[in-house]
Amino acid sequence: MATRIDKEACREAYNLVRDDNTEINWAAFKYEGHMIVPAGQGTDYEEFKSQCTDDVRLFGFVRITTGDAMSKRAKFTLITWIGENVSGLQRAKISTDKTLVKDIVQNFAKEFMISDARELEEDYIRTELKKAGGANYDAQGE
């Protein structure tokens, strides 16, 4: 059976992360059978990381604030998490299913496909987003 996505519910979660007037800085999207649905959202990146366990595959849309005292800006990333215990068939299917998510999650600076929890560290994600963001004025202070 083909995977489907709950477009309205997922779009609502995506918009909460994009909204500068909320504190929400992440939203996760998980599989319920053959349907991709919101798995939650929050203000603490560690909460998002806790959902990325060895037996799940999910998508995360995350806001990271970068910049320095002179210029702070929000950068967004799409994270595809594939736990170590996810079957080969489910691993293969996630690539095609990601197109459903990308129909909703359209604005992000960098995309990650991660199966190693160390790559989920917020500092690693922030560093990679800075690299993708062009000018890095933080380096002037070093």
Side-chain angles (χ1 to χ4, degrees):
M1 182 173 204
T3 303
R4 295 176 299 134
I5 189 166
D6 184 340
K7 284 186 177 181
E8 290 310 309
C10 290
R11 187 171 286 116
E12 187 176 315
Y14 165 72
N15 286 332
L16 281 173
V17 177
R18 297 238 356 127
D19 187 347
D20 292 333
N21 297 317
T22 74
E23 295 292 314
I24 303 294
N25 62 12
W26 66 267
F29 310 99
K30 67 178 181 178
Y31 288 84
E32 276 187 4
H34 293 285
M35 180 77 87
I36 297 172
V37 298
Q41 67 251 348
T43 58
D44 183 0
Y45 183 76
E46 293 298 316
E47 278 181 72
F48 168 71
K49 278 178 44 181
S50 72
Q51 293 195 29
C52 299
T53 59
D54 285 343
D55 57 343
V56 301
R57 55 192 176 136
L58 60 78
F59 303 94
F61 181 62
V62 180
R63 170 200 294 256
I64 303 271
T65 302
T66 63
D68 55 23
M70 299 295 288
S71 173
K72 294 218 180 284
R73 56 204 163 273
K75 296 284 183 185
F76 299 93
T77 184
L78 176 62
I79 297 172
T80 302
W81 168 258
I82 305 171
E84 286 183 18
N85 298 336
V86 171
S87 74
L89 183 60
Q90 287 181 329
R91 285 176 182 271
K93 205 162 167 359
I94 204 162
S95 294
T96 55
D97 293 346
K98 190 187 319 185
T99 59
L100 297 170
V101 175
K102 284 183 169 181
D103 282 344
I104 294 162
V105 177
Q106 297 181 345
N107 297 305
F108 51 90
K110 187 161 175 77
E111 181 178 344
F112 296 89
M113 184 170 282
I114 299 175
S115 57
D116 182 342
R118 291 173 297 202
E119 291 181 13
L120 276 174
E121 291 302 318
E122 189 172 3
D123 287 341
Y124 172 76
I125 301 290
R126 184 182 313 281
T127 300
E128 291 300 308
L129 281 172
K130 281 183 182 178
K131 288 180 191 175
N136 181 5
Y137 299 108
D138 290 345
Q140 292 176 358
E142 296 173 357

